[in-house]
C-alpha cells in the first residue's frame, strides 16, 4: 500500500481549520485513508491510501475530500488551463515501443521550495508505481522549463547513436546503451526496453536530450529548489488513459500549490490531422440512477440528498430527472469504471459511519460432507489417545524420497517458483508430514501418538486443474515399544468405531517405507485405499530419529456421502 | 516450654527417624539414612522427612551429583584386582622373564579363566602401565617385564576408593583421577548416574526435642481398598486415611487432543452454521482463470506476478471452461461486455488464464460457486462460506507464512445491500467474541463498494484490522448470469490473525509447527 507523510500543521494550514492527531485518527478513515504511524515529536502522520486513489499522493490531494468531509468546501474544483504555445512532435518510430506522450507547463510566481520539490518527487515515485506499473505503463519526467527550448521531439535513437550526460552521473557522457548497462536507473529499468533495436528519446529544439524515457532525464533540466519556477512535464507510456491520469494528478496538484497551468500540443507525425492538447482537465461525465444507488446501499435518499453526498466527495452532480443524475468526475480520478463506483462515492459522501446495519437471518446452516466426516474421524482418533497435527500441504520432494515414496515423473506436481527448497511441491501423502512432526519434536517426552486428517493433492488428468484433492487420515506412533501390533490396534479401533471394519481387509504387501513382513495394504471393496506397517529403520534414520515407528494412512474419500 | 496447642505433631512411625537423626548428630545423605533405617527412600522423603520439615524439626538441602556405580564385573575386580594386575601377578608367580604371547594367553586362560578378549585387554593395560613391553624381534610376539615393581595404575587407585562401597560420588575422586573415568566406563566396570543429593539435618529444635514434647499420632493408611469397602473395615480406617495436599498438581497425563487450529476453525464454522450458512470447498490447485481473471484482476496486475503467486512447473496449464464463459470474461476485461463497465481496455489472453497455480484466496472457490448458482438458478438468498488453505509466495518469518487459511462468507440475494453486509459482519464478529466492530471504506479489485473491517480486542485494548468485505462488482458476477438486482455480499479474513489473538501467540509460525510440548499444554 502506498503511503505519504503529512505534517499536521501543514494540513491545518491547507484546510484553514485547526486539526489534531486524535481527530484525524477518527476522521481520515471515513475518506478511505488509514493512519499507519504517528510521530508526536515532529507532529507528522504517515497515511496509507489505496492504490485505486493515486490522487492521494500529495497533501493537496488529500485536502480535497477532507475539506468536503468537514463541510469547508464542496463539489468539483474548477481548474483553468491556458492554451500554450509549446508543442511535441511525435515520430512514428515510437509506436512499437512507447506510443504515447503527453505534456504540460506549470508557471509559479515563486521558486519552488525544498519541501515542494520533495512533495513533487514523492508524487512522481508513487505515480510510477500506482499508475505506471513501475514505469511500464507510464514514465514521468519533470523538468526546469527555462533550461530548454521547444518544440520538442519525441523519437527513437539507435543504442549508440548519441551521447549525453544523464542525471546522477553528470560527469559522464554516455550512450543510451551504456546508460542501460552502467547507470543505476538504467540497470533497474533496462528490462522495459529489452528486445527493442531503438530506444525512445525526447530532444529539445536545439537537439539537447530532455529525457530518455522510461529510464532517466538529461542534466540540463534538473529541478532545483529555490531556483526552478516553471515546470515542463513529459509523460510517456503504453496506455493513453494512464498517461493522461498521471498528468492530470500532477497538474491539478501543482495548480493547488499555486501554479498556473498551460497546455502543450502533441502532434503525431503519421496522423497529421490529430492534434491533442494536454493537460485536458475536463471532467468525465457519468449517469447514475437514484433507485439503483439506494437499492445498493440500503438507503432511501432523494436525488437532492444524493447530490449533496457527491459534493462532499468533490464530485459535481445535477438532477436530470427525479431518478437520474448527471455526474461530473474530476479528471484526476481514474477509478470510476461503472455506475457501481458512483454508488461507493455516494456511500462515502453519506458516511459509512452513518449507515444503519440491517440483519436478515434467513437460511439453514449445514456441514460440508467432507468436513463432517473429517470431524468424526478426528473425534475417534482423539478417543484413541492421539494428538492432532495440522501440517502444510506445501512439502519438499526430498521428504517423499527420504520416505522411499517415489512418484512417477509425469504424476509429480512441481512448483515453478518456490521461495525455498523447503517447499517445492504439494504433498501426495500425509505420512511424511507426520514423520517431520516427530523429527521436530524428537527431544520431547515419548511416547508419541499423533494423527492428521487432511488433504493431499493427486495428479489427475481428467480434471480441469489436472489435479484433485483427497482427504486422508494418517496415524503414527513412535516410542521404544512401537510396533505393528500397536498401530494395528489403533487401526482396528478406528475402523470399528467408524463402522467400516467389516468392509476393510489388510493384505501383506511390500513398500520401501516399511519393514518387509510387517507391512500390509488396506483394501476397501477390492480397491487399495491405504497402507499400514512398521516404518523401515533406514527411513527412521533418514529423518534423524532413533525410535521404532509405525504408521497407517488411508484415503477417506470412499466414505464421504 | 511451648503450650500444648503448639506442640509439634508427628506420626508415631516417624519417631524412630527423628531419634536416629538425633543420634547421628550431623547432616546425612538421605539415601544413606534410608539404608540405615531400612526404609524406602521415596517413603522416607515424602513421609518422615517431609513431616519433620513441616514441623520445623528438620531441613534438607539439595544438590546435583553424579554417582558412580560398580558393575558386577567391577565389583569382582575391586576384590581380586583388575585383569592386568591378576595377569601380571601370574606372570611373576610363574617366574617368567619373557614368554610368547600366544603361549601365555593359554596359561592365563587355564589358571585365571580369562578368555582371549579379556587377556588382550589386560595385556594392553599392562603395556599402558609400562609394567611390560612386547616385541616381535624374535619372530613371534613376546612379552618382557619392564618394571618389576608394577606401581599402582590410576584405574586401580580409583577402584581403591570404593573400599566396601558399591557406589561413590564423583566428588570423592580427585580431579586428575577423574580423567581416567572414561576408561572404566568404556570397560563397563562402572556406570554413571545423575542424582539429586539431599542432605538431611535436624534443626536446633529437632536436636533438643524429646518424645513427650511431641504430639504423636497413629499410623496413617494410604487408601481405602476394595476389601475394606466390602468388609466394612473402612469405617474405622477412614479416620486414619492419609490426608492429601489437594492443592498440589497431579502427575501429567498425555491424552489425545485437538490441534488448536481445528478448534478455532470449528468455532468459526459454528458461527457460520448458526447464522444460516453452508460450507463449500474447492480446488487448491486452481486455474488463473478462476483465481484472477474471473475476479476482474487485469492480467498485468502486480498480485499476479511470480513473486506473489506460486505457479506450477508441472502440470503447467489446465483446461478452461466452455468457450462462451471464456469469451464473456474476455469481453468484460477488454471493454466491459454487457456489464455497463468500461472494462480495463487491454488485450486479454486466454493463455495466461490457463496457467495453474496454488490459489491465493478462497474467493476463487466462492467464485466457482457463483458459476454453479448462475447455472442451477436455485432459490435465493443463498448463504455459503469457505474456510480453507491459500498460498502466497512469501518468505516465512514471524509475521508471514507461505501457506495460510482464509475464511470467506458470501450471500447471494436480490437487492441485498451494503447495510445488510454491515449487519452480517457485525453479527458475525459479535458471535466470534468481538463486541465492537467498525466497517469503513476500503478497496479490493473485485468488490465495490468495499469495506475494511476492524474489531476491538478487549485483551489488547486496541483496534485490529481483521478483514475485508464488499459487494462483488458486476464485472465479476455478470459472467455467471448473476445480474442486477441480484448481488453478492462478501467478506473474508485470515484464520491465523484470529488464531494468534485467541491463542496469544506473536509468532505466526508457532501455529503450524505442531510443537508437541505446546499442544500437550495449550488451552483453548
Amino acid at each position: 500500500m502506498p503511503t505519504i507523510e503529512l505534517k499536521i500543521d501543514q494540513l491545518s494550514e491547507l484546510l484553514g481549520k485547526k486539526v489534531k492527531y486524535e481527530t484525524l485518527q477518527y476522521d481520515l478513515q471515513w475518506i478511505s485513508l488509514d493512519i499507519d504511524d504517528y510521530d508526536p515529536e515532529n507532529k507528522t502522520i504517515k497515511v496509507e491510501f489505496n492504490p485505486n486513489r493515486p490522487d492521494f499522493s500529495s497533501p493537496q490531494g488529500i485536502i480535497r475530500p477532507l475539506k468536503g468531509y468537514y463541510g469547508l468546501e464542496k463539489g468539483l474544483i474548477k481548474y483553468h488551463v491556458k492554451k500554450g504555445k509549446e508543442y511535441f512532435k511525435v515520430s512514428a518510430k515510437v509506436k512499437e515501443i512507447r506510443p504515447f506522450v503527453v505534456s504540460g507547463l506549470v508557471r509559479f510566481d515563486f521558486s519552488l521550495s525544498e519541501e515542494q520539490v520533495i512533495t513533487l518527487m514523492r508524487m512522481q515515485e508513487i505515480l510510477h508505481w500506482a499508475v505506471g506499473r513501475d514505469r511500464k505503463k507510464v514514465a514521468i519526467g519533470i523538468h526546469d522549463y527555462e533550461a530548454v527550448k521547444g518544440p520538442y521531439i519525441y523519437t527513437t535513437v539507435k543504442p549508440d547513436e548519441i551521447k549525453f550526460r544523464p542525471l546522477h552521473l553528470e560527469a559522464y557522457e554516455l550512450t543510451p546503451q551504456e546508460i542501460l548497462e552502467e547507470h543505476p536507473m538504467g540497470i533497474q529499468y533496462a528490462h522495459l526496453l529489452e528486445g527493442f533495436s531503438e530506444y525512445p528519446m525526447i530532444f529539445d529544439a536545439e537537439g539537447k536530450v530532455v529525457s530518455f524515457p522510461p529510464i532517466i532525464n538529461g542534466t540540463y533540466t534538473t529541478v532545483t529548489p529555490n531556483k526552478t519556477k516553471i515546470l515542463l512535464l513529459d509523460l510517456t507510456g503504453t496506455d493513453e488513459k494512464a498517461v493522461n491520469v498521471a498528468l492530470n494528478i500532477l497538474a491539478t496538484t501543482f495548480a493547488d500549490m499555486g501554479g498556473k497551468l498551460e497546455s502543450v500540443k502533441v502532434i503525431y507525425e503519421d496522423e497529421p490531422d490529430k492534434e491533442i492538447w494536454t493537460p485536458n482537465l475536463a471532467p468525465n461525465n457519468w449517469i447514475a440512477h437514484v433507485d439503483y444507488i439506494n437499492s445498493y446501499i440500503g438507503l432511501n435518499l432523494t436525488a437532492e440528498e444524493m447530490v449533496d453526498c457527491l459534493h462532499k466527495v468533490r464530485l459535481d452532480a445535477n438532477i436530470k430527472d427525479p431518478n437520474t443524475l448527471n455526474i461530473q468526475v474530476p479528471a484526476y480520478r481514474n477509478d470510476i469504471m461503472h455506475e457501481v463506483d458512483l454508488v461507493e462515492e455516494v456511500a462515502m459522501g453519506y458516511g459509512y459511519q452513518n449507515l444503519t446495519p440491517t440483519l436478515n437471518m434467513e437460511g439453514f446452516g449445514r456441514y460440508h460432507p467432507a468436513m463432517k466426516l473429517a470431524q468424526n474421524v478426528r473425534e475417534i482418533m482423539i478417543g484413541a489417545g492421539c494428538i492432532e497435527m495440522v501440517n502444510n500441504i506445501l512439502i519438499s520432494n526430498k521428504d517423499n524420497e527420504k520416505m522411499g515414496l517415489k512418484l512417477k515423473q509425469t504424476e509429480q506436481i512441481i512448483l515453478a517458483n518456490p521461495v525455498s527448497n523447503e517447499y517445492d511441491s504439494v504433498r501426495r501423502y500425509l505420512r511424511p508430514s507426520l514423520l517431520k512432526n516427530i523429527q521436530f519434536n524428537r527431544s520431547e517426552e515419548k511416547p508419541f501418538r499423533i494423527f492428521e486428517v487432511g488433504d493431499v493433492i493427486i495428479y489427475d488428468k481428467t480434471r480441469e486443474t489436472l489435479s484433485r484433492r483427497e482427504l486422508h487420515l494418517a496415524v503414527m506412533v513412535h516410542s521404544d515399544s512401537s510396533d505393528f501390533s500397536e498401530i494395528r490396534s489403533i487401526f482396528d479401533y478406528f475402523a470399528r468405531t467408524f463402522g467400516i471394519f467389516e468392509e476393510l481387509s489388510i493384505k501383506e504387501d511390500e513398500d520401501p517405507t516399511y519393514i518387509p513382513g510387517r507391512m500390509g495394504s488396506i483394501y476397501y471393496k477390492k480397491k487399495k485405499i491405504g497402507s499400514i506397517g512398521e516404518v523401515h529403520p533406514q527411513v527412521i534414520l533418514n529423518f534423524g530419529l532413533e525410535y521404532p515407528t509405525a504408521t497407517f494412512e488411508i484415503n477417506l474419500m470412499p466414505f464421504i456421502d | 516450654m511451648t503450650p500444648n496447642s503448639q506442640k509439634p505433631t508427628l506420626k508415631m512411625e516417624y519417631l524412630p527417624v527423628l531419634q536416629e537423626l538425633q543420634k547421628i548428630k550431623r547432616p546425612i545423605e538421605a539415601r544413606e539414612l534410608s539404608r540405615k533405617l531400612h526404609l524406602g527412600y521415596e517413603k522416607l522423603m515424602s513421609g518422615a522427612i517431609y513431616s519433620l520439615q513441616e514441623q520445623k524439626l528438620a531441613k534438607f538441602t539439595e544438590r546435583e551429583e553424579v554417582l558412580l556405580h560398580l558393575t558386577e564385573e567391577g565389583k569382582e575386580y575391586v576384590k581380586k584386582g583388575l585383569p592386568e594386575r591378576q595377569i601380571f601377578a601370574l606372570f611373576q608367580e610363574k617366574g617368567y622373564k619373557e614368554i610368547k604371547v600366544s603361549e601365555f594367553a593359554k596359561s592365563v586362560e587355564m589358571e585365571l579363566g580369562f578368555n582371549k578378549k579379556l587377556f588382550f585387554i589386560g595385556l594392553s593395560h599392562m603395556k599402558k602401565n609400562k609394567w611390560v613391553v612386547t616385541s616381535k624381534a624374535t619372530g613371534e610376539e613376546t612379552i618382557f617385564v619392564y618394571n618389576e615393581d608394577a606401581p599402582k595404575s590410576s584405574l586401580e587407585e580409583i577402584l581403591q576408593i570404593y573400599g566396601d562401597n558399591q557406589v561413590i560420588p564423583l566428588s570423592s575422586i580427585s580431579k586428575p583421577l577423574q580423567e581416567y573415568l572414561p576408561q572404566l566406563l568404556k570397560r563397563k566396570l562402572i556406570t554413571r548416574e545423575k542424582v539429586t543429593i539431599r542432605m538431611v539435618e535436624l534443626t536446633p529444635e529437632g536436636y533438643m526435642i524429646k518424645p513427650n514434647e511431641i504430639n504423636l499420632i497413629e499410623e496413617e493408611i494410604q487408601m481405602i481398598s476394595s476389601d475394606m469397602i466390602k468388609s466394612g473395615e473402612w469405617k474405622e480406617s477412614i479416620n486414619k486415611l492419609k490426608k492429601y495436599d489437594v492443592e498440589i498438581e497431579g502427575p501429567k497425563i498425555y491424552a489425545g487432543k485437538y490441534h488448536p487450529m481445528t478448534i478455532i476453525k470449528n468455532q468459526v464454522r459454528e458461527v457460520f452454521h448458526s447464522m444460516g450458512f453452508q460450507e463449500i470447498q474447492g480446488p487448491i490447485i486452481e486455474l488463473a482463470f478462476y483465481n484472477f481473471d474471473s475476479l476482474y484482476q487485469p492480467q498485468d496486475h502486480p498480485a499476479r506476478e511470480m513473486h506473489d503467486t506460486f505457479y506450477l512447473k508441472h502440470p503447467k496449464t489446465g483446461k478452461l471452461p466452455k468457450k462462451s464463459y471464456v469469451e464473456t470474461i474476455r469481453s468484460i476485461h477488454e471493454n466491459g461486455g454487457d456489464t455497463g463497465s468500461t472494462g480495463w481496455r487491454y488485450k486479454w489472453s486466454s493463455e495466461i488464464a490457463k496457467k495453474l497455480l496454488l490459489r491465493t484466496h478462497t474467493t476463487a472457490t466462492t467464485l466457482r460457486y457463483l458459476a454453479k448458482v448462475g447455472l442451477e438458478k436455485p432459490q435465493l438468498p443463498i448463504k455459503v462460506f469457505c474456510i480453507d488453505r491459500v498460498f502466497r509466495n512469501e518468505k516465512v518469518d514471524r509475521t508471514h507464512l507461505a501457506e495460510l487459511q482464509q475464511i470467506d462468507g458470501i450471500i447471494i440475494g436480490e437487492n441485498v445491500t451494503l447495510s445488510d453486509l454491515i449487519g452480517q459482519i457485525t453479527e458475525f464478529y459479535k458471535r466470534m467474541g468481538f463486541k465492537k466492530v467498525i466497517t469503513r471504506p476500503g478497496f479490493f479489485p473485485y468488490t465495490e463498494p468495499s469495506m475494511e473491517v476492524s474489531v476491538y480486542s478487549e485483551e489488547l485494548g486496541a483496534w485490529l484490522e481483521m478483514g475485508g468485505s464488499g459487494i462483488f462488482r458486476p464485472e465479476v458476477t455478470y459472467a455467471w448470469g448473476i445480474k442486477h438486482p441480484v448481488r453478492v455480499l462478501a467478506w473474508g479474513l485470515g484464520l491465523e490473525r484470529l488464531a494468534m489473538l485467541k491463542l496469544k501467540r506473536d509468532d505466526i509460525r508457532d501455529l503450524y509447527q505442531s510443537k508437541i510440548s505446546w499442544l500437550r499444554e495449550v488451552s483453548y
Side-chain angles (χ1 to χ4, degrees):
Chain A
M1 289 286 201
T3 58
I4 151 170
E5 266 188 22
L6 299 170
K7 290 204 168 70
I8 294 179
D9 289 344
Q10 189 197 4
L11 277 186
S12 298
E13 193 192 314
L14 290 169
L15 275 173
K17 168 190 162 86
K18 190 111 186 88
V19 283
K20 287 191 304 200
Y21 166 66
E22 289 73 21
T23 47
L24 287 173
Q25 201 185 15
Y26 178 79
D27 294 335
L28 288 180
Q29 61 183 330
W30 306 115
I31 54 170
S32 79
L33 292 167
D34 195 16
I35 296 185
D36 204 32
D37 209 1
Y38 171 50
D39 174 358
E41 207 170 300
N42 297 313
K43 288 178 80 184
T44 46
I45 49 176
K46 208 165 154 190
V47 172
E48 201 176 78
F49 59 95
N50 294 313
N52 66 326
R53 291 299 299 270
D55 56 306
F56 285 166
S57 54
S58 66
Q60 286 72 17
I62 284 170
I63 286 299
R64 295 171 195 142
L66 200 55
K67 278 183 171 170
Y69 176 85
Y70 287 129
L72 301 170
E73 269 179 28
K74 59 181 196 170
L76 203 73
I77 304 163
K78 306 271 183 309
Y79 293 100
H80 180 67
V81 184
K82 188 181 153 196
K83 201 157 193 171
K85 294 189 185 88
E86 293 289 6
Y87 63 96
F88 267 66
K89 278 200 292 194
V90 183
S91 154
K93 292 199 291 178
V94 301
K95 266 220 157 113
E96 295 302 313
I97 314 174
R98 294 182 80 76
F100 303 106
V101 64
V102 291
S103 179
L105 270 183
V106 192
R107 291 178 193 273
F108 292 93
D109 295 338
F110 47 85
S111 305
L112 290 172
S113 69
E114 199 138 341
E115 200 171 305
Q116 285 168 321
V117 172
I118 289 170
T119 299
L120 174 157
M121 280 161 59
R122 177 75 188 127
M123 269 183 95
Q124 187 180 10
E125 196 184 317
I126 293 171
L127 294 175
H128 270 149
W129 180 83
V131 185
R133 291 264 194 278
D134 211 11
R135 302 194 184 189
K136 186 169 173 247
K137 277 173 129 175
V138 183
I140 302 165
I142 304 179
H143 310 278
D144 188 332
Y145 170 70
E146 287 171 292
V148 283
K149 229 181 137 194
Y152 307 95
I153 295 154
Y154 178 35
T155 182
T156 65
V157 296
K158 293 199 180 64
D160 50 6
E161 193 177 323
I162 57 158
K163 274 193 168 193
F164 71 97
R165 294 178 194 277
L167 203 59
H168 308 315
L169 282 183
E170 292 83 357
Y172 305 92
E173 283 221 310
L174 300 173
T175 66
Q177 190 60 40
E178 285 164 343
I179 289 173
L180 293 188
E181 285 162 9
E182 290 160 34
H183 194 288
M185 289 292 131
I187 294 164
Q188 194 176 345
Y189 294 104
H191 65 276
L192 296 174
L193 295 176
E194 217 172 79
F196 294 113
S197 57
E198 297 212 352
Y199 299 149
M201 203 64 66
I202 297 174
F203 296 100
D204 82 342
E206 291 170 353
K208 286 187 196 161
V209 171
V210 178
S211 154
F212 170 21
I215 313 292
I216 191 82
N217 287 345
T219 39
Y220 307 106
T221 58
T222 309
V223 173
T224 319
N226 306 318
K227 173 172 170 268
T228 303
K229 287 174 102 172
I230 310 172
L231 297 177
L232 171 70
L233 311 175
D234 84 72
L235 293 92
T236 60
T238 55
D239 180 325
E240 190 172 13
K241 194 178 150 202
V243 288
N244 275 297
V245 165
L247 172 66
N248 294 349
I249 291 171
L250 288 169
T252 51
T253 301
F254 294 150
D256 286 349
M257 282 162 67
K260 292 192 178 61
L261 303 178
E262 214 173 282
S263 61
V264 173
K265 184 166 70 171
V266 181
I267 309 164
Y268 287 85
E269 190 184 67
D270 58 338
E271 291 169 89
D273 300 339
K274 195 165 140 190
E275 186 175 285
I276 298 164
W277 289 89
T278 61
N280 177 2
L281 298 181
N284 296 307
N285 293 308
W286 282 85
I287 286 175
H289 299 90
V290 173
D291 57 354
Y292 181 85
I293 295 173
N294 274 329
S295 87
Y296 239 95
I297 308 177
L299 288 173
N300 207 0
L301 300 180
T302 62
E304 287 80 7
E305 287 167 324
M306 268 184 205
V307 170
D308 258 3
C309 292
L310 290 164
H311 279 158
K312 273 197 166 177
V313 291
R314 311 313 301 273
L315 270 55
D316 264 358
N318 35 53
I319 301 163
K320 192 176 168 215
D321 62 56
N323 194 37
T324 313
L325 302 176
N326 284 325
I327 298 173
Q328 285 91 51
V329 179
Y332 54 79
R333 295 280 301 265
N334 70 336
D335 58 322
I336 309 293
M337 309 182 126
H338 190 278
E339 192 175 350
V340 74
D341 295 303
L342 297 163
V343 170
E344 187 176 77
E345 296 299 315
V346 173
M348 225 183 299
Y350 184 82
Y352 282 46
Q353 69 277 34
N354 300 321
L355 292 173
T356 311
T358 44
L359 187 58
N360 180 342
M361 294 298 276
E362 282 174 277
F364 299 92
R366 200 186 64 193
Y367 266 103
H368 187 280
M371 300 303 167
K372 180 84 194 152
L373 179 120
Q375 189 53 24
N376 289 345
V377 173
R378 280 189 196 107
E379 261 164 41
I380 295 170
M381 293 325 303
I382 284 164
C386 301
I387 293 195
E388 188 191 10
M389 301 286 132
V390 175
N391 290 301
N392 280 342
I393 283 183
L394 287 171
I395 195 178
S396 162
N397 235 327
K398 273 209 201 93
D399 293 323
N400 284 331
E401 284 165 22
K402 277 201 237 165
M403 267 211 116
L405 293 168
K406 262 242 144 78
L407 295 181
K408 269 191 245 159
Q409 196 93 47
T410 51
E411 295 184 0
Q412 282 181 5
I413 293 171
I414 305 161
L415 299 188
N417 54 332
V419 241
S420 73
N421 52 9
E422 209 178 321
Y423 308 122
D424 54 15
S425 184
V426 289
R427 64 181 178 184
R428 168 66 184 81
Y429 296 100
L430 297 181
R431 47 192 187 268
S433 305
L434 291 185
L435 211 42
K436 284 193 81 174
N437 289 141
I438 291 176
Q439 184 184 33
F440 182 74
N441 286 293
R442 63 182 174 274
S443 57
E444 300 290 342
E445 198 177 330
K446 274 144 251 331
F448 292 159
R449 278 186 169 192
I450 60 173
F451 79 99
E452 181 168 8
V453 179
D455 287 298
V456 301
I457 309 284
I458 295 173
Y459 180 83
D460 182 348
K461 60 182 174 198
T462 66
R463 305 290 179 104
E464 55 179 334
T465 59
L466 300 196
S467 57
R468 64 171 200 273
R469 55 197 286 186
E470 220 174 69
L471 187 67
H472 279 206
L473 160 68
V475 182
M476 194 170 277
V477 293
H478 177 81
S479 73
D480 50 10
S481 63
S482 290
D483 61 359
F484 186 84
S485 85
E486 182 184 357
I487 197 72
R488 175 74 210 223
S489 303
I490 297 175
F491 173 78
D492 292 348
Y493 170 79
F494 160 71
R496 277 212 181 83
T497 316
F498 196 50
I500 55 170
F501 187 76
E502 301 303 327
E503 296 159 76
L504 295 183
S505 59
I506 295 181
K507 294 202 180 85
E508 195 185 326
D509 208 344
E510 270 177 39
D511 183 314
T513 301
Y514 300 96
I515 298 175
R518 294 194 170 193
M519 182 276 156
S521 288
I522 304 169
Y523 288 85
Y524 171 73
K525 290 183 178 165
K526 290 185 182 156
K527 226 184 129 209
K528 188 168 154 179
I529 60 159
S531 62
I532 179 167
E534 269 180 48
V535 176
H536 198 286
Q538 189 55 56
V539 172
I540 295 173
L541 287 170
N542 288 348
F543 281 82
L545 301 171
E546 47 196 16
Y547 283 89
T549 306
T551 184
F552 80 81
E553 174 160 0
I554 70 165
N555 174 12
L556 296 171
M557 298 308 274
F559 313 109
I560 298 176
D561 305 327
Chain B
M1 200 64 241
T2 50
N4 201 36
S5 62
Q6 284 184 9
K7 259 187 176 181
T9 303
L10 205 62
K11 281 199 279 182
M12 186 69 89
E13 57 173 319
Y14 298 156
L15 187 60
V17 179
L18 175 70
Q19 288 170 330
E20 180 70 27
L21 283 167
Q22 286 180 333
K23 218 166 79 190
I24 295 169
K25 290 199 175 70
R26 60 175 170 84
I28 180 169
E29 198 267 313
R31 282 181 194 276
E32 199 187 324
L33 181 65
S34 118
R35 280 192 291 273
K36 272 202 152 103
L37 292 164
H38 300 283
L39 207 68
Y41 174 73
E42 296 296 333
K43 205 171 165 207
L44 172 73
M45 292 308 290
S46 64
I49 302 300
Y50 179 76
S51 294
L52 287 169
Q53 197 196 11
E54 214 175 34
Q55 300 299 324
K56 299 201 165 51
L57 299 174
K59 60 187 178 189
F60 71 85
T61 51
E62 280 188 351
R63 73 189 147 85
E64 295 291 313
E65 176 62 286
V66 174
L67 292 183
L68 302 169
H69 295 264
L70 283 177
T71 63
E72 286 307 311
E73 199 181 351
K75 283 179 203 164
E76 194 190 319
Y77 298 155
V78 169
K79 271 189 236 145
K80 295 187 186 165
L82 286 164
E84 53 267 37
R85 179 59 70 189
Q86 293 185 44
I87 295 169
F88 191 75
L90 184 69
F91 191 89
Q92 284 187 316
E93 199 185 303
K94 297 270 175 188
Y96 297 137
K97 287 280 174 255
E98 59 182 271
I99 186 171
K100 285 188 182 117
V101 169
S102 57
E103 200 181 311
F104 189 47
K106 271 180 214 145
S107 93
V108 166
E109 187 169 3
M110 265 175 36
E111 305 268 339
L112 299 173
F114 289 177
N115 61 20
K116 267 228 171 78
K117 193 178 160 201
L118 200 50
F119 169 75
F120 280 105
I121 292 174
L123 179 60
S124 75
H125 281 277
M126 284 160 73
K127 281 157 69 180
K128 213 183 250 172
N129 297 343
K130 301 223 165 70
W131 299 342
V132 299
V133 289
T134 61
S135 163
K136 280 184 185 170
T138 55
E140 207 176 324
E141 190 168 23
T142 307
I143 306 172
F144 301 88
V145 177
Y146 182 80
N147 186 344
E148 299 255 8
D149 298 340
K152 218 173 256 159
S153 70
S154 301
L155 300 189
E156 288 177 311
E157 279 181 45
I158 296 173
L159 291 187
Q160 204 178 16
I161 298 171
Y162 276 90
D164 288 339
N165 295 318
Q166 294 177 0
V167 185
I168 55 169
L170 180 65
S171 55
S172 64
I173 298 173
S174 67
K175 274 271 143 59
L177 274 184
Q178 286 186 14
E179 308 234 335
Y180 295 91
L181 288 173
Q183 289 191 40
L184 288 176
L185 287 164
K186 205 179 152 206
R187 290 175 75 174
K188 297 202 170 79
L189 303 183
I190 59 169
T191 56
R192 289 165 58 101
E193 184 197 9
K194 254 196 191 155
V195 291
T196 310
I197 299 284
R198 296 187 173 86
M199 297 301 290
V200 181
E201 188 184 6
L202 290 181
T203 60
E205 296 82 55
Y207 280 121
M208 304 291 288
I209 201 157
K210 296 186 179 69
N212 62 6
E213 293 163 0
I214 301 171
N215 186 15
L216 290 167
I217 53 170
E218 288 283 311
E219 192 190 345
E220 285 182 337
I221 56 166
Q222 291 301 313
M223 66 175 294
I224 295 197
S225 66
S226 165
D227 285 344
M228 290 173 175
I229 294 171
K230 282 186 283 186
S231 68
E233 196 191 326
W234 63 268
K235 287 179 195 156
E236 196 184 311
S237 309
I238 203 157
N239 300 313
K240 295 191 210 159
L241 193 61
K242 178 179 156 45
K243 256 187 81 175
Y244 275 137
D245 184 345
V246 294
E247 290 171 21
I248 284 180
E249 256 186 71
K252 288 204 166 72
I253 57 163
Y254 296 139
K257 203 168 175 185
Y258 281 113
H259 194 283
M261 292 306 280
T262 300
I263 296 285
I264 291 170
K265 266 169 97 167
N266 283 347
Q267 285 169 352
V268 177
R269 282 200 176 101
E270 200 54 48
V271 168
F272 272 118
H273 288 159
S274 73
M275 288 175 67
F277 286 74
Q278 302 189 352
E279 186 166 1
I280 56 169
Q281 210 188 42
I284 283 171
I285 291 180
E286 187 54 282
L287 286 157
F289 182 80
Y290 289 109
N291 196 77
F292 291 130
D293 296 285
S294 297
L295 287 163
Y296 198 49
Q297 295 243 43
Q299 291 184 327
D300 69 343
H301 194 278
R304 300 181 67 142
E305 281 171 23
M306 297 279 270
H307 56 77
D308 278 317
T309 302
F310 284 120
Y311 287 93
L312 294 196
K313 185 156 90 188
H314 181 266
K316 205 169 181 165
T317 53
K319 300 165 198 162
L320 291 178
K322 69 176 187 194
K323 205 163 173 226
S324 61
Y325 287 123
V326 176
E327 287 313 308
T328 308
I329 294 293
R330 177 199 302 284
S331 64
I332 289 173
H333 275 246
E334 291 185 351
N335 54 43
D338 71 344
T339 65
S341 170
T342 59
W344 288 115
R345 295 195 261 193
Y346 73 105
K347 192 133 185 50
W348 185 82
S349 149
S350 61
E351 284 310 305
I352 294 176
K354 253 189 223 167
K355 285 190 185 171
L356 287 173
L357 47 82
L358 298 184
R359 78 173 161 204
T360 62
H361 45 197
T362 43
T363 319
T365 294
T366 38
L367 194 280
R368 277 178 179 271
Y369 194 76
L370 294 192
K372 193 173 138 143
V373 167
L375 211 60
E376 295 171 4
K377 306 219 179 313
Q379 206 194 321
L380 300 179
I382 279 183
K383 298 159 86 173
V384 294
F385 73 99
C386 184
I387 312 178
D388 215 341
R389 302 186 187 242
V390 299
F391 302 82
R392 304 279 161 83
N393 193 351
E394 283 204 87
K395 211 144 188 67
V396 173
D397 60 30
R398 289 182 72 80
T399 53
H400 296 91
L401 290 176
E403 181 169 346
L404 303 137
Q405 303 202 58
Q406 204 175 32
I407 305 165
D408 241 338
I410 62 167
I411 298 176
I412 310 170
E414 207 174 297
N415 276 318
V416 286
T417 69
L418 191 63
S419 303
D420 291 337
L421 179 57
I422 298 174
Q424 290 287 331
I425 291 171
T426 310
E427 183 66 22
F428 172 81
Y429 282 103
K430 208 185 270 172
R431 290 181 187 219
M432 288 300 305
F434 301 101
K435 291 189 197 100
K436 287 194 261 176
V437 182
I438 275 192
T439 48
R440 57 200 162 81
F443 168 75
F444 302 100
Y446 43 87
T447 54
E448 186 79 11
S450 304
M451 294 187 294
E452 298 275 356
V453 183
S454 293
V455 299
Y456 188 76
S457 158
E458 305 280 346
E459 288 113 326
L460 303 178
W463 287 94
L464 303 172
E465 281 182 27
M466 213 19 123
S469 65
I471 303 178
F472 275 153
R473 296 187 68 94
E475 292 94 328
V476 174
T477 65
Y478 270 45
W480 313 102
I482 295 173
K483 301 186 177 185
H484 182 75
V486 179
R487 283 178 213 124
V488 183
L489 310 179
W491 75 94
L493 64 149
L495 182 67
E496 288 75 14
R497 206 171 162 74
L498 196 66
M500 285 166 78
L501 192 65
K502 298 228 164 198
L503 299 169
K504 301 186 175 64
R505 309 301 292 183
D506 53 11
D507 187 333
I508 196 168
R509 291 169 295 192
D510 291 351
L511 300 177
Y512 296 107
Q513 267 173 346
S514 295
K515 195 166 176 48
I516 284 184
S517 56
W518 178 56
L519 294 175
R520 280 171 171 166
E521 305 259 317
V522 67
S523 63
Y524 33 63

